[in-house]
Amino acid sequence: MESHFTIRIMLLFTILSSVKLIHVSCFEFQVGDRAGWIVPPTNHTKFYNDWASEKRFKIGDIIRFNYRKDSVMEVSETEYKNCNTTRPTFFSNTGDTIFTLDRHGFFYFISGSFGHCQRGQKIIVRVVEQDQVKNATSSASRNPTILSYKFFVIVFVFLCLA
């Protein structure tokens, strides 16, 4: 009986020491933080791009736009530069828009309300490629290797049944 327990412990130790557990998670970002999706102050027309430049977006992350009496549009780079609202690839005016970043590269968003984009209510979101995310997370800046609670429960049950 004792030898079975010892074998299970050794097997468990071997598994734990040879398996790399990777914690993959997506984050939800509220555009503009507490300010939400509004026309920025007159002297701060780069408000949203400054906000985005402080973040590290990856595939699967979610950006949330909270606003009143407004809208949000995803547009091309050209439409973004010209504040053109006539050809959006995505449009929402629900007041609480959730957009999933589903590829790497640049996403361009503008307000659909007249004059808001020209006053700075626009944002460029850059989603980094997976290799860039791995390089950033390998320095433990995001999350180091994490063992989940469920994994510990499984190990505990395994040991108790020995």
Side-chain angles (χ1 to χ4, degrees), residues 89-159:
T89 55
F90 171 84
F91 172 81
S92 179
N93 63 356
T94 64
D96 185 25
T97 300
I98 295 172
F99 188 92
T100 301
L101 303 169
D102 60 357
R103 61 175 171 78
H104 67 85
F106 294 94
F107 290 82
Y108 301 90
F109 298 96
I110 62 174
S111 169
S113 294
F114 181 77
H116 288 201
C117 178
Q118 291 83 348
R119 292 168 47 202
Q121 193 176 357
K122 58 185 184 175
I123 185 172
I124 301 171
V125 173
R126 179 177 177 247
V127 177
V128 296
E129 293 185 46
Q130 289 306 109
D131 291 341
Q132 292 171 317
V133 172
K134 288 178 188 172
N135 290 340
T137 57
S138 66
S139 65
S141 63
R142 204 163 182 140
N143 280 329
T145 301
I146 296 176
L147 299 175
S148 72
Y149 172 75
K150 289 179 183 178
F151 181 76
F152 281 115
V153 170
I154 291 168
V155 170
F156 178 75
V157 168
F158 179 77
L159 289 174

Side-chain angles (χ1 to χ4, degrees), residues 41 57 105 140:
F57 301 101

Side-chain angles (χ1 to χ4, degrees), residues 69-83:
K69 297 181 182 179
D70 206 326
S71 63
V72 61
M73 300 176 161
E74 181 194 12
V75 296
S76 69
E77 180 180 8
T78 302
E79 308 304 314
Y80 173 87
K81 288 178 180 176
N82 296 320
C83 287

Side-chain angles (χ1 to χ4, degrees), residues 30-31 33 35-38 48 64-68 95-97:
Q30 175 153 333
V31 175
D33 294 326
W37 183 239
I38 61 169
Y48 291 106
R64 179 184 293 265
F65 295 83
N66 284 318
Y67 51 92
R68 291 188 176 155
D96 185 25
T97 300

Side-chain angles (χ1 to χ4, degrees), residues 18-92:
S18 64
V19 175
K20 278 189 176 180
L21 297 176
I22 301 172
H23 178 74
V24 177
S25 63
C26 299
F27 292 93
E28 181 175 301
F29 298 91
Q30 175 153 333
V31 175
D33 294 326
R34 288 186 178 172
W37 183 239
I38 61 169
V39 176
T42 305
N43 295 330
H44 200 49
T45 57
K46 294 184 179 186
F47 173 77
Y48 291 106
N49 286 331
D50 289 346
W51 175 86
S53 69
E54 297 171 355
K55 311 294 185 237
R56 187 165 202 83
F57 301 101
K58 63 181 182 59
I59 295 173
D61 283 349
I62 294 169
I63 54 174
R64 179 184 293 265
F65 295 83
N66 284 318
Y67 51 92
R68 291 188 176 155
K69 297 181 182 179
D70 206 326
S71 63
V72 61
M73 300 176 161
E74 181 194 12
V75 296
S76 69
E77 180 180 8
T78 302
E79 308 304 314
Y80 173 87
K81 288 178 180 176
N82 296 320
C83 287
N84 186 348
T85 60
T86 61
R87 291 182 285 206
T89 55
F90 171 84
F91 172 81
S92 179

